Amino acid sequence: MPGRSDAVRVPLPAGLRDGTYTVAWRVVSADSHPVSGALTFSVGRRTATTAAVLPRRTEDPVTTALHTIARHLARLALAVLLGTAAFVAYCRPPVTAHPRAPARAAWWTVLAATLALFLLRAPYEEGTSPARALALSCLARTATTRPGELLLARAALLLLAAACALAPPARWRGVPRRTVLAGGTALSVALCLTWAAAEHASAGPQVPLAVVSTTLHLLAAAAWLGGLTALLATLRRVRADPAALPPHVVPRFSTPALASVTVLVVTGTYQSWRGLGSWQALTGTPYGRLLLAKPAAVTLLLTAASHSRRWTSRPAAPPRARVPKPAPLPAGPACSPGPAAPPGPACAPAPHAPVQPGPDTPVAPPAPAAHRHLRRSVLAEVAVGMVVLVLTTLLTSTPPARAAAEAARSAAPAAGVPAASVTTVPFDVGTPGGHGRVQITLEPGRVGANSVQAVVYGPDGGLSSVPELRVALVLPARRIGPLDTGVTDRGGYWAADSFALPMAGTWTMKVTVRVSEVDQVTVSRSVRVTR
């Protein structure tokens, strides 16, 4: 409806008979997820019916499965891509040990998953077959939506990153390292924003803070879990010769890992509060149950990380100092050999103290056994980290408990109070064809703000157009009114978006219908307004 983003206006089919009808609906929510439901409305006399939630079969299972797989792959590959870049920039492994293969595979995976999500967006929203993914009308519509625009921006950023990475080294010669790092950081933040602005953070309370929190959460997860993947790839590249890995690489990774864990805890706590809304939602909603599983997986991941840290913090044995060959002692009176003087302690050569390694003495690389244990421990961290990322993706595809509870409260009417007051008012001006009825809906029919909709039916029971319709309410017991609802012609029906009722009680609704320049009639009916 004009001026409202939470309402949809659709025309009624012609020739509806009296009774209560169910409208099944499916829309895309503000956080880009399709949601569905049902509602009822009545024409004339009400009949017994209820509005049931749409079953899951309204979604195409193949489209939903492909879309879910693409979302998982995109998030996992993003963590590997950004984590590898951060690992190389901060830990500085030797060029021969750079994890190029994981970075290339992650880039191609993110790009392919992004394009797949763009193609599947329209069928996913409609709940139709993936065969419609290549329809030009679907692609054009997706390109004009916020999720589609963000997916296209993500693809453009990936191409920009590839162009920078494939540029010849001579082009970067002379560029300060800080400038390169600042550019890479800005590119990483922009990539994460294409996720944050399209998911749960884009709707609900505190949107700007939620978008910042989600972006930091993604960056921290990539620096930690993606960095672990890069560390594992680096250890595998030097497993034949562990001495080829400089001793500073592995211990240096501990600093960004610890900072990432801190950011993950802070932002994760905020997002949990924002998505849950109540303690009961932890066990009473799918979102809450997934949220309980994530801290358990993170705890297991931290346990594996502490085991790896023991191997990285264990001091390596210093190399044996090479003891130089002692020079012969100069001959002196006390040590002059002679036939009468047997050799004694004074003639024994002085012992030489071993050479102690100084601060510039390089530390020996880990032993092959320690290197092997470290590689296995990091592999366990990566495996558990992938589980954490999968749980995170499932959380982003599940409606938050707070939003689900608010939707349920708004959809459920109060006990004993109808969701709307529907009144049918027959009229007859006394001329041929000058009779019919007006169906007026007062929603929610309680004290406070209400909306008013009026539909005029002619003698044949079909929709009828009249030049003028006025609806006013009077509360005789309190001498209030008449209060004009101010309904206006909306093209097929009459409506007022906001009309305030100050008191509960039995109101008199006065309906004036004019069917020609001179023929009109006013009819009254009683309407019950509750608190």
Side-chain angles (χ1 to χ4, degrees):
M1 295 179 66
R4 294 185 61 180
S5 60
D6 59 347
V8 178
R9 174 176 143 185
V10 294
L12 291 172
L16 288 178
R17 298 178 179 272
D18 288 357
T20 300
Y21 295 84
T22 300
V23 178
W25 54 267
R26 178 183 174 90
V27 298
V28 180
S29 63
D31 60 359
S32 77
H33 299 305
V35 293
S36 57
L39 56 89
T40 62
F41 73 96
S42 299
V43 176
R45 182 176 56 85
R46 290 188 177 188
T47 55
T49 187
T50 57
V53 178
L54 290 178
R56 297 288 295 179
R57 62 176 179 271
T58 55
E59 299 180 354
D60 186 274
V62 177
T63 300
T64 303
L66 292 176
H67 191 271
T68 302
I69 292 172
R71 284 170 57 88
H72 283 284
L73 289 177
R75 190 176 287 270
L76 292 172
L78 175 75
V80 174
L81 179 63
L82 299 186
T84 301
F87 176 81
V88 172
Y90 188 82
C91 298
R92 301 187 187 184
V95 177
T96 55
H98 277 187
R100 296 184 181 86
R104 283 195 295 264
W107 185 89
W108 281 108
T109 303
V110 177
L111 181 63
T114 299
L115 297 178
L117 288 171
F118 183 84
L119 295 176
L120 292 170
R121 186 67 203 176
Y124 175 67
E125 292 179 353
E126 299 171 353
T128 56
S129 166
R132 283 182 50 81
L134 297 178
L136 293 180
S137 60
C138 293
L139 295 176
R141 188 176 77 249
T142 301
T144 60
T145 62
R146 180 166 56 90
E149 292 171 349
L150 290 171
L151 289 171
L152 291 177
R154 186 184 305 169
L157 290 171
L158 288 170
L159 294 176
L160 176 61
C164 295
L166 296 177
R171 179 169 298 181
W172 301 105
R173 195 168 298 156
V175 179
R177 174 179 169 82
R178 290 185 177 181
T179 303
V180 176
L181 293 178
T185 302
L187 196 58
S188 301
V189 172
L191 274 172
C192 291
L193 277 173
T194 63
W195 266 269
E199 295 180 347
H200 293 162
S202 61
Q206 304 174 355
V207 170
L209 182 59
V211 170
V212 173
S213 174
T214 302
T215 302
L216 292 176
H217 198 83
L218 288 171
L219 290 171
W224 184 22
L225 303 179
L228 281 174
T229 305
L231 175 60
L232 177 63
T234 302
L235 292 175
R236 290 179 64 86
R237 287 179 69 90
V238 299
R239 60 182 172 180
D241 183 16
L245 185 66
H248 70 272
V249 173
V250 177
R252 193 167 187 178
F253 178 70
S254 299
T255 301
L258 180 60
S260 299
V261 171
T262 304
V263 174
L264 286 172
V265 170
V266 174
T267 56
T269 302
Y270 167 73
Q271 292 176 29
S272 300
W273 166 83
R274 185 175 180 269
L276 279 175
S278 66
W279 289 109
Q280 292 78 9
L282 269 176
T283 56
T285 62
Y287 184 89
R289 288 188 286 270
L290 280 173
L291 200 58
L292 285 176
K294 186 176 178 181
V298 171
T299 301
L300 185 60
L301 181 58
L302 291 175
T303 303
S306 65
H307 185 70
S308 299
R309 188 174 177 84
R310 285 191 303 176
W311 289 103
T312 59
S313 60
R314 178 174 297 179
R320 289 185 178 179
R322 181 172 298 175
V323 180
K325 185 176 180 181
L329 291 175
C335 294
S336 298
C347 294
H352 287 264
V355 177
Q356 298 294 333
D360 297 330
T361 304
V363 180
H371 191 278
R372 184 168 56 253
H373 283 296
L374 176 61
R375 190 170 66 248
R376 291 174 180 175
S377 179
V378 173
L379 178 60
E381 284 190 72
V382 171
V384 181
M386 295 299 105
V387 175
V388 173
L389 286 177
V390 169
L391 289 173
T392 302
T393 307
L394 289 174
L395 278 171
T396 60
S397 59
T398 304
R402 182 191 294 269
E406 291 177 353
R409 284 195 299 268
S410 62
V417 179
S421 170
V422 180
T423 305
T424 301
V425 181
F427 68 90
D428 189 350
V429 299
T431 61
H435 63 278
R437 70 182 189 276
V438 183
Q439 178 180 289
I440 301 172
T441 302
L442 191 65
E443 187 177 1
R446 298 195 289 270
V447 173
N450 288 262
S451 63
V452 183
Q453 295 88 31
V455 181
V456 181
Y457 296 93
D460 58 354
L463 295 178
S464 177
S465 176
V466 295
E468 184 180 2
L469 178 69
R470 295 194 305 271
V471 180
L473 284 96
V474 179
L475 184 59
R478 296 297 183 93
R479 297 182 181 181
I480 298 177
L483 304 179
D484 189 4
T485 59
V487 294
T488 57
D489 190 358
R490 302 292 179 86
Y493 74 103
W494 297 69
D497 293 333
S498 181
F499 171 68
L501 287 169
M503 293 185 135
T506 302
W507 290 69
T508 299
M509 178 182 290
K510 295 185 176 182
V511 182
T512 301
V513 184
R514 183 167 63 86
V515 297
S516 67
E517 291 294 332
V518 295
D519 298 316
Q520 73 176 32
V521 65
T522 299
V523 186
S524 299
R525 284 291 184 275
S526 296
V527 177
R528 178 67 180 170
V529 176
T530 59
R531 293 189 181 277

